[in-house]
Amino acid sequence: MADVTVISSSIVRPQNLNQSCRTKIHPTPFDLKLLYVDYPQRGLLFHKPDPETHIISRLKTSLSTALDIYFPFSGRLVKEENLEDNTVSFYIDCDEHGSSGAKFVHAESKSLSVSDILQLHGSVPDFMSHFFPSVDVKSINGLTEPLLALQVTEVKDGVFISFGYNHMIADGASIRSFFNTWSKICSDDSDNQKNHNPLKLRGWFLDGISFPIRVPASETAVPSPRQETSLRPTSNERVFHFTKRNLSNLKAKANNEAGSSDLIISSLQALSAHLWRSTVRHSGMSRDEETHCKLTVDMRQRLNPPLEKECFGNLILLGVATVTVGELLDNQMGWAALQISKMVHSQTDEKFKTFAKNWVRDVKILEKGCGSPKVFDSVVMSSSPWFDVYGNDFGWGKPIAARAGPGNSMRGKLVLFQGIEEGSIDVHATLCSHVLVKLLADVEFLENVTIT
């Protein structure tokens, strides 16, 4: 195991705690259903700056300023018991008494270097799990754990800055906005929150739902781990790089094969279809079994009336395209991409609000325990290649790579990152070991991916 040593762990609080507008944030159905989901984790690798940069003090000072703007990340999750009907309610306490701040971990490895992290052919070493905070922390643990944790790990010639966050508070767009703002503040010592717009919290848009939402106490019982976990196939991680040309070829192929005059398949939908077919082809599933391609859809601009793009919160809807294995493999990639495109277009204001109203009537918390023991039936497209990754300059240069952590991961999880070259996409894949071995020998798959 790599010698990653924690040097210090501290709490960083907002610079100005006394803000009258910061009180309670009531979770929506889309937040509450994530009560047992792990903290998602992402991280960026940088070359090591000059020692005179004093990165730890600089990062902590700028973080305090960033938390002034993104104050929900420094709040705490509170649970209230409603004994009269055996339910519980939750809220985020953001006032000066409820503010617990963000966790900041400083770690180092004296034996590892950048070349150990960026291994050949996109391999992801096992020791990377030690480079992320909040491992095995779930949203409900926000009752006692900070809602945001950050870790700065120094290696011989580089620095890895990572985060883990409570998914009930924010989605990928919101955490990326925070990270971008933090890096801008850090890169300019004279910068402060006056140079940044106030946080735009989501307005309430679901009529007919009273707050706080009451959740049956039975749905919040601590789940027990599944006993069959050790019997599941092992998994491995790999980063696949798709160049702008790779993506252009996939998009052209998908639109040509789909032959639809109504829908234009995007490069991301074509890539998703390519990955879906390729992994299922080697999964060992039978032809009559159903398989799913799941991806999150940002609903901000799809609602009526639409919300501002910068609106902070968890505003995503999980879309699922479902077909049989036989249908997926008998038809061409363009057909699969068309099913994904139709599913994305079906994510509407009406569907979003109907889901919320139905969920309140029949509360079900997702991902209790370790999830389904079935490990081959789905690919889950997570994050977005449109999030700004390589613009995060903390003052000593732009990142050289992005990685996903073990939190909120599963077999079939495909985390999408903006590639380092313009127009490219990196996919951090977690796959069953035997599927990955076959995938790396699949000529059809490899002709559209660039192995570094």
Side-chain angles (χ1 to χ4, degrees), residues 269-324:
Q269 292 164 0
L271 174 61
S272 300
H274 178 59
L275 292 165
W276 186 18
R277 291 184 79 248
S278 299
T279 53
V280 169
R281 186 160 56 240
H282 303 299
S283 66
M285 294 177 66
S286 62
R287 289 177 54 81
D288 58 347
E289 287 185 89
E290 286 190 336
T291 178
H292 317 279
C293 181
K294 303 178 181 180
L295 54 86
T296 54
V297 179
D298 188 333
M299 296 299 294
R300 288 168 175 80
Q301 296 290 293
R302 293 172 178 266
L303 297 176
N304 184 22
L307 300 177
E308 295 181 81
K309 292 181 180 180
E310 300 80 14
C311 186
F312 181 90
N314 177 34
L315 291 150
I316 54 175
L317 189 63
L318 183 67
V320 183
T322 301
V323 299
T324 66

Side-chain angles (χ1 to χ4, degrees), residues 30 206 299 302-304 317 346-358:
F30 304 95
L206 295 177
M299 296 299 294
R302 293 172 178 266
L303 297 176
N304 184 22
L317 189 63
S346 72
Q347 309 308 308
T348 61
D349 174 82
E350 181 182 2
K351 187 171 184 177
F352 190 73
K353 294 175 180 176
T354 298
F355 172 88
K357 291 175 181 177
N358 290 340

Side-chain angles (χ1 to χ4, degrees), residues 45-59:
L45 179 64
F46 299 81
H47 288 302
K48 200 161 194 172
D50 186 282
E52 296 301 316
T53 306
H54 303 296
I55 63 171
I56 299 304
S57 60
R58 186 169 173 173
L59 286 168

